[in-house]
Amino acid sequence: MRPIIVLVLAALSIIFSSCKKDPGTTSGGNQLKLGATTVDSVSYRYARITSAVLNTGGNTCSRHGHCWSADPKPDLADAYSDLGPLNGALPLTSSLAGLVPGTKYYLRAYFQVAQEIVYFDAGTLTTLALKKPSVNSLDVVNVTTSGAECRAEVVDDGGDPVTMRGFCWSTDTLQGLSLRHFSDTTCNGPGLGLFTGFLTSLAENKGYFVRAYAVNSVDTAYGKIRYFTTTAVSLPTVLTVQHSNIT
């Protein structure tokens, strides 16, 4: 009896092995082949990826694209791109939007052949984590006895909107001090790009330290410290003229 059981198990093993498909093989037996996937670009909430299709295996694909998720093995129940029918062994490029900053995503390419969906693992990517902004203090111009004009630029919002930007100043060094330490500040609105602030009520002929700042939800960033001196008040010149022969 035991030899018969062994023979039955061996036969079942052969049947199951013959029914197991290679990755990318459709139920019709034609095999799709996918090459490497590259991450063309990645930012805080967006990415662009390209996968190489090496061989369609003679399959007619009614649609294809990528799917992605923060969980392994994403499918069409998750976020996906629809690149339409596949016309030959061409690269497939997808733009991924609405991503979460600082998150690892699993990628898969998919192909629909008749009613069947064939998936290929396409690696992973990680979006950039949010950070504080980047701001450059540019210059101080139009200095008078009681004021000055400052210019700066927010060059990167760190992936999160800049809600406030401006300048802070003091007669003491600003190094190591945070924005809350200063009563003398300007607020020059939100956003990226160049901006100008006007420092007022300064003392004449006095030295000041100034630097730009920018705020987002992560932290406050500061530009380099600039130093300037207000001009002195110019007193009028009085000329004494001596006269002779006054009668």
Side-chain angles (χ1 to χ4, degrees), residues 139-151 166-170 174 184-188 196-203 208-212 226 228 230:
D139 51 17
V140 181
V141 296
N142 300 326
V143 179
T144 66
T145 57
S146 61
E149 179 182 344
C150 299
R151 298 170 182 169
F167 298 91
C168 52
W169 70 92
S170 174
L174 305 176
D184 294 325
T185 61
T186 68
C187 182
N188 302 109
T196 299
F198 296 92
L199 282 53
T200 60
S201 301
L202 306 181
Y208 285 89
F209 298 91
V210 62
R211 64 178 173 180
R226 304 298 186 191
F228 69 96
T230 54

Side-chain angles (χ1 to χ4, degrees), residues 65-197:
H66 292 98
C67 49
W68 58 92
S69 173
D71 298 319
K73 302 296 182 185
D75 57 28
L76 294 184
D78 299 300
Y80 67 92
S81 64
D82 189 342
L83 303 178
L86 178 63
N87 298 311
L90 301 173
L92 56 132
T93 299
S94 296
S95 296
L96 287 56
L99 306 179
V100 178
T103 302
K104 180 179 180 179
Y105 284 89
Y106 295 87
L107 313 171
R108 290 210 290 179
Y110 74 89
F111 301 86
Q112 181 167 355
V113 180
Q115 300 303 311
E116 184 178 6
I117 304 294
V118 180
Y119 292 95
F120 290 88
D121 288 332
T124 64
L125 65 81
T126 301
T127 52
L128 301 181
L130 296 180
K131 60 183 181 181
K132 64 183 180 181
S134 178
V135 59
N136 293 335
S137 299
L138 299 180
D139 51 17
V140 181
V141 296
N142 300 326
V143 179
T144 66
T145 57
S146 61
E149 179 182 344
C150 299
R151 298 170 182 169
E153 182 179 12
V154 179
V155 294
D156 184 3
D157 63 7
D160 196 60
V162 171
T163 56
M164 185 169 63
R165 62 188 185 177
F167 298 91
C168 52
W169 70 92
S170 174
T171 55
D172 298 321
T173 179
L174 305 176
Q175 196 68 47
L177 298 180
S178 63
L179 190 62
R180 63 185 176 84
H181 289 92
F182 301 103
S183 57
D184 294 325
T185 61
T186 68
C187 182
N188 302 109
L192 289 163
L194 295 167
F195 65 97
T196 299

